[in-house]
Amino acid sequence: EKGGYKHFMLKEIHEQPRAIADTIRGRVLPDGSEVVYKELGIRFEELALTRKIYLVACGTSYHACLIGKYMIENIAKTPVETDIASEFRYRNVPFEQDSLFIAITQSGETADTLAALRFAKKSGVKTLAICNVVGSTASREADGVFYTHSGPEIGVASTKAFTTQIVALYLLTLALAKAKGLLVEQSYISFLRNLLMLPRMAEEALKLENRIQQLAKEVYRKPNFLYLGRGLCYPVALEGALKLKEISYIHAEGYAAGEMKHGPIALVEEGFPVVFIVSDDFYLDKTLSNMEEIKARDGFIITISDSKKEKLKKLSDRFIYVEGIHTYLNTVLFSIPLQLLAYHVAVLRGCDVDQPRNLAKSVTVE
Ligand code: M6R
């Protein structure tokens, strides 16, 4: 049942190219020209009028919300509020008119996420669930459901569910931008073409496994890790840290690289591992200056990037080059080596990777 893999988590990491392809299939016409909206349960005209989006979830799914915020605000020019479901449900949010509430949940059964969804519905807001489990509570209760077709995820640590949530958000962003008349045909098609490259590029990212395994051998005894990134790489850093802590029990923190100076840098001393996630985009130079500060304190810099900039390589103690597509979809590609790093570190530490202590696959109590 593990298809020859030692753990479900490893199998699920390797299933990502297929899971992503399945999530795209049927949503993009074969010529790459159109996203299918019908299943959203929201009319094209209604989508065009959306003035605000709420993205709410727990854990890894919340990190997908943060990625969604960057995508939707940048491409579809619609303000997005993100929140953790356990906070959102009790905040008595005064919803703005013409809002859309989106719950992201792999299982569709997370208690806090369901409570937040019910609160939004009761408030008269249109609701949508981005969900993996067909027929789950969230999928039945929301006005519309957009399924990620990642297949069953058994490992407690979310992997393919997360990357397919990003794909779903990307498709939704394009649908919204198109409905609002914000995308000229040409850029719309190029966004979709990029997406169609993703399964193959995810396959490429998986080929980094041997290198990551070697890296894991170097660092698995470290007691603390810091993960840093800016822009879309910030939520990827949060997710990388969550993956490591939940399965290896190593203390790991994810931070926006720009926040580093406001506290976490106090932790850095010789050999302290700092994982930088760096996309070859607008933020690159800014992140480089954060790296210099870590370097000056003799931290051990591990870089995950699609940039080949000399300075970036020079500042890195270990440099993992990941072939990128574009800053939005690089979130998926960079997540793969981070999942593999967490996995191999946890295995070296003798941890129960698929069923980490104190955790359940779906948290059905608050
Ligand atoms: O099923 P959901 O997406 O609602 O689950 C949310 C979280 O419980 C889940 O993502 C959790 O954080 C995972 N263990 C992370 O790997």
Side-chain angles (χ1 to χ4, degrees):
E1 57 188 0
K2 289 182 198 147
Y5 290 98
K6 205 168 148 208
H7 296 99
F8 282 111
M9 182 183 176
L10 189 61
K11 171 174 176 263
E12 288 159 6
I13 289 173
H14 281 272
E15 279 171 351
Q16 287 177 111
R18 199 267 312 139
I20 291 165
D22 286 351
T23 301
I24 298 171
R25 187 169 306 120
R27 268 86 184 238
V28 175
L29 294 183
D31 66 352
S33 63
E34 191 64 80
V35 174
V36 178
Y37 304 85
K38 275 188 218 128
E39 61 187 301
L40 298 180
I42 302 170
R43 285 176 300 114
F44 194 78
E45 303 76 44
E46 221 178 329
L47 209 54
L49 291 174
T50 306
R51 294 224 306 248
K52 173 140 189 188
I53 294 187
Y54 294 84
L55 287 175
V56 178
C58 300
T60 290
S61 299
Y62 171 67
H63 298 151
C65 292
L66 293 175
I67 291 172
K69 177 180 171 76
Y70 283 85
M71 286 183 184
I72 295 169
E73 291 188 343
N74 280 339
I75 306 172
K77 309 288 177 217
T78 308
V80 177
E81 187 174 316
T82 50
D83 208 349
I84 293 163
S86 56
E87 288 298 316
F88 189 90
R89 63 180 293 190
Y90 294 120
R91 259 190 330 116
N92 286 320
V93 175
F95 285 103
E96 289 177 33
Q97 260 204 334
D98 300 318
S99 290
L100 171 63
F101 174 94
I102 306 178
I104 305 186
T105 168
Q106 186 283 130
S107 61
E109 305 297 345
T110 302
D112 285 321
T113 308
L114 289 176
L117 171 68
R118 285 170 187 150
F119 171 72
K121 254 192 115 169
K122 220 176 90 199
S123 309
V125 175
K126 186 99 188 166
T127 58
L128 182 67
I130 294 180
C131 197
N132 191 46
V133 176
V134 177
S136 58
T137 309
S139 74
R140 283 184 276 111
E141 292 194 10
D143 298 313
V145 53
F146 197 73
Y147 282 113
T148 50
H149 296 300
S150 74
E153 193 181 63
I154 312 288
V156 164
S158 182
T159 53
K160 60 178 181 169
F162 175 63
T163 49
T164 55
Q165 284 166 351
I166 299 174
V167 169
L169 284 161
Y170 186 86
L171 286 165
L172 200 71
T173 302
L174 296 186
L176 186 65
K178 186 139 201 236
K180 291 192 164 212
L182 291 166
L183 285 181
V184 292
E185 201 57 23
Q186 221 177 0
S187 52
Y188 182 68
I189 288 176
S190 93
F191 272 117
L192 289 181
R193 289 233 168 94
N194 283 344
L195 181 63
L196 293 173
M197 282 165 66
L198 191 59
R200 188 173 57 75
M201 299 303 277
E203 201 78 70
E204 289 301 310
L206 285 166
K207 292 185 185 154
L208 293 165
E209 182 157 14
N210 283 341
R211 280 211 56 205
I212 300 286
Q213 201 168 2
Q214 292 312 313
L215 176 63
K217 285 182 189 152
E218 292 184 80
V219 297
Y220 78 98
R221 287 198 181 90
K222 303 267 187 194
N224 292 293
F225 274 73
L226 196 56
Y227 285 69
L228 300 174
R230 283 177 185 256
L232 281 140
C233 294
Y234 158 50
V236 176
L238 294 179
E239 174 58 10
L242 175 61
K243 241 18 6 135
L244 186 71
K245 81 180 109 182
E246 74 178 326
I247 60 169
S248 77
Y249 318 140
I250 293 176
H251 173 240
E253 297 259 18
Y255 258 93
E259 269 289 292
M260 186 189 90
K261 288 194 188 85
H262 303 281
I265 198 163
L267 295 168
V268 180
E269 55 185 0
E270 198 189 331
F272 186 104
V274 183
V275 182
F276 273 97
I277 298 101
V278 195
S279 208
D280 193 0
D281 60 16
F282 158 81
Y283 294 101
L284 175 65
D285 288 333
K286 303 194 180 302
T287 309
L288 278 172
S289 75
N290 296 124
M291 289 173 91
E292 275 170 340
E293 290 175 62
I294 300 293
K295 192 82 194 162
R297 286 157 186 85
D298 291 323
F300 184 79
I301 298 182
I302 300 165
T303 305
I304 309 279
S305 182
D306 67 329
S307 165
K308 284 183 170 161
K309 204 166 178 164
E310 248 348 277
K311 195 169 170 195
L312 187 69
K313 287 196 220 164
K314 253 175 94 182
L315 284 167
S316 308
D317 294 284
R318 297 292 176 271
F319 183 77
I320 310 284
Y321 175 76
V322 183
E323 186 92 39
I325 300 177
H326 187 278
T327 179
Y328 299 110
L329 297 174
N330 289 352
T331 51
V332 169
L333 301 173
F334 296 165
S335 294
I336 291 172
L338 295 176
Q339 295 164 350
L340 288 167
L341 180 63
Y343 173 79
H344 286 291
V345 165
V347 167
L348 286 165
R349 289 167 70 93
C351 297
D352 185 348
V353 175
D354 283 334
Q355 284 196 300
R357 68 186 181 204
N358 309 336
L359 290 174
K361 183 65 187 162
S362 86
V363 183
T364 52
V365 290
E366 78 169 292

